[in-house]
Amino acid sequence: MLRSPRVLFIALTLFGLLAFRIVYDRRHGQLPSLERPASPNGLLTSEVGSAGSSLLGIGAPPASSADVKNSTLGFERVFVINLPERYDKLDIFTLAASLTGFSHDVIEGIKGATVVNKTLPTLDNIPKKEKSRNNIVGCWRAHLNFAQKIVRERIQTALVLEDDSDWDVSFKDQLADFATGSRYISNSTTLSRSPYGDDWDLLWLGHCSAQQHPSDQRRFVIENDDTVPPMAHRVNFNEVPKLNELGYDNSTRIVFRANEGVCLYSYALSYRGAQKVLRWQNNIKKFNPIDLGMGHQCRDDPNFKCIAVFPQLVDSHKSAGRASRDSDIGTFDPTQIRKKGYTNNIVHSTRLNIDNMINGGRDAKIEAQWDDQPQLTGPRRTRSD
């Protein structure tokens, strides 16, 4: 049925007045703008957030330390680096991750022989031996592909682990304390979009050496921690903080701004951090293994903010059986057989407790690696120094 001209005139007039009011109120700050403000890392806030926050709508809500217990450990994405032919490593990694309660995607490892020299930023310090060259270059390229994926897909935060990495069965509880420490070291507020804070570039969770930055001597201290390995079972390949000399006992872990590091068993990059890694590594004048290169960037670039934890939360597992299965870049005696698997620096190894966790479920008996692990009472305590 056709409406009369009078009714149409009134309807159009009311619609026009309503549209005018909306525009007027928005220009004068009385209605929220649909424009999305940028975050400290340069992303629009609707693109920002941990995996526990929606990436849709007008800005994700602030995160909390509880978000580290979600399926991506409080990061937007979790990845594992794995050579396509190493199904065995991916099998066990997937099993361990599932028992700990987190999901992951795969970054394919790179064969160094496929990376031609003209794609490298420099040939200075490239090993002369072909095998050594290919091992170092392939590893370097795989980690750059991780950074590139973050930038290309505008991922706000991402964690990566190597496919032979191992962690404590209480990994999520450890990360909750680490997240609080990371926010402290990065001067982040409670309104951070990530539970780890918004002002960091690299979080170094798994390493074999880390040093504190001389420009920032603050520490976040986690005391009475039964996941800290005894001194006799700490294995590192370069300098680490001397906790006893700093006045801490043997059940203490610290979070701090890192100056250098070695080994990339696990680390996280922010979107901004991934941009910086790509820029830095494509402008190096002397080629180094990627872990040393990132350590040098933490040391030499004052705008590259690295946060580490010691003792580390992630390390490399050595499984029972043929030692030649361990690494794809090392050289091993093909006749060496390991009777029992182990992981340095990890007290309640997830990999060594897989059978217990599968068969025991929630009531699983979790075993420590060492008989001399001290028995602590009471909860973990945290403070800032």
Side-chain angles (χ1 to χ4, degrees):
M1 182 176 66
L2 295 176
R3 295 181 175 85
S4 69
R6 179 181 177 83
V7 173
L8 289 175
F9 175 79
I10 292 173
L12 291 172
T13 301
L14 290 174
F15 179 82
L17 289 173
L18 179 61
F20 174 81
R21 182 57 188 267
I22 290 174
V23 173
Y24 178 89
D25 285 349
R26 182 164 294 146
R27 288 182 177 177
H28 291 79
Q30 297 178 37
L31 284 178
S33 173
L34 295 180
E35 294 180 359
R36 297 169 290 178
S39 76
N41 279 354
L43 284 181
L44 300 176
T45 54
S46 65
E47 296 168 320
V48 173
S50 68
S53 301
S54 172
L55 299 181
L56 303 175
I58 306 173
S64 72
S65 293
D67 288 340
V68 305
K69 298 190 177 183
N70 65 24
S71 63
T72 52
L73 306 175
F75 300 97
E76 187 176 331
R77 302 276 294 277
V78 176
F79 296 95
V80 57
I81 294 178
N82 169 257
L83 281 168
E85 64 267 27
R86 291 306 304 261
Y87 306 109
D88 55 327
K89 287 191 173 186
L90 190 56
D91 284 346
I92 302 303
F93 180 95
T94 300
L95 184 55
S98 72
L99 292 169
T100 316
F102 68 91
S103 59
H104 60 278
D105 296 308
V106 177
I107 297 282
E108 283 197 1
I110 301 296
K111 294 279 192 177
T114 67
V115 183
V116 298
N117 280 345
K118 67 180 179 181
T119 68
L120 301 176
T122 179
L123 298 181
D124 185 19
N125 206 39
I126 292 286
K128 301 298 182 184
K129 292 185 177 180
E130 183 179 5
K131 182 176 180 180
S132 298
R133 180 260 183 210
N134 290 343
N135 288 341
I136 290 175
V137 168
C139 184
W140 177 85
R141 186 62 253 175
H143 284 274
L144 258 64
N145 285 354
F146 167 60
Q148 183 196 96
K149 186 175 185 67
I150 292 174
V151 175
R152 188 174 66 251
E153 298 184 13
R154 296 185 70 79
I155 300 169
Q156 176 65 8
T157 60
L159 176 71
V160 68
L161 303 98
E162 295 188 341
D163 60 7
D164 57 358
S165 61
D166 192 13
W167 50 87
D168 199 279
V169 297
S170 62
F171 193 32
K172 289 187 175 182
D173 292 329
Q174 292 177 319
L175 287 175
D177 287 334
F178 174 78
T180 304
S182 178
R183 290 200 306 273
Y184 168 68
I185 298 299
S186 63
N187 299 311
S188 295
T189 69
T190 56
L191 299 178
S192 301
R193 299 294 177 179
S194 163
Y196 300 95
D198 288 335
D199 193 19
W200 55 268
D201 296 305
L202 183 149
L203 303 179
W204 215 321
L205 302 180
H207 54 78
C208 57
S209 170
Q211 303 171 37
Q212 189 163 8
H213 203 287
S215 70
D216 189 346
Q217 291 297 302
R218 294 175 303 145
R219 305 179 195 100
F220 184 79
V221 183
I222 305 165
E223 299 174 310
N224 202 46
D225 186 345
D226 65 356
T227 69
V228 172
M231 288 292 294
H233 301 291
R234 297 181 191 178
V235 178
N236 293 282
F237 302 116
N238 209 326
E239 291 189 35
V240 292
K242 296 177 175 61
L243 297 186
N244 291 146
E245 293 181 13
L246 294 172
Y248 304 122
D249 65 23
N250 291 336
S251 63
T252 297
R253 176 174 272 121
I254 63 172
V255 181
F256 53 94
R257 179 164 181 184
N259 183 47
E260 254 185 303
V262 182
C263 301
L264 291 173
Y265 304 135
S266 178
Y267 64 98
L269 291 176
S270 65
Y271 177 83
R272 181 187 70 187
Q275 289 178 313
K276 293 178 180 180
V277 167
L278 284 179
R279 180 62 176 166
W280 183 278
Q281 288 298 320
N282 277 281
N283 283 279
I284 54 175
K285 305 302 181 186
K286 183 177 181 179
F287 200 92
N288 282 299
I290 187 61
D291 57 334
L292 298 183
M294 287 196 184
H296 294 165
Q297 188 171 0
C298 293
R299 179 192 66 193
D300 298 335
D301 182 355
N303 296 313
F304 191 65
K305 298 180 181 179
C306 305
I307 298 174
V309 57
F310 180 77
Q312 52 271 62
L313 301 183
V314 180
D315 213 297
S316 178
H317 180 69
K318 309 301 180 187
S319 61
R322 302 191 310 276
S324 59
R325 299 179 67 201
D326 285 351
S327 173
D328 297 294
I329 62 174
T331 301
F332 302 91
D333 180 353
T335 65
Q336 181 184 354
I337 304 296
R338 189 178 295 117
K339 293 183 178 180
K340 183 179 179 180
Y342 69 91
T343 306
N344 291 329
N345 305 305
I346 304 299
V347 177
H348 310 99
S349 159
T350 295
R351 292 185 182 239
L352 295 178
N353 278 287
I354 282 179
D355 289 338
N356 294 338
M357 296 170 78
I358 289 178
N359 298 323
R362 292 182 179 275
D363 299 321
K365 179 183 178 182
I366 301 302
E367 299 177 358
Q369 285 202 77
W370 309 291
D371 294 333
D372 57 348
Q373 183 70 23
Q375 299 300 310
L376 305 177
T377 59
R380 287 199 287 265
R381 302 183 300 270
T382 61
R383 61 183 173 87
S384 56
D385 266 5

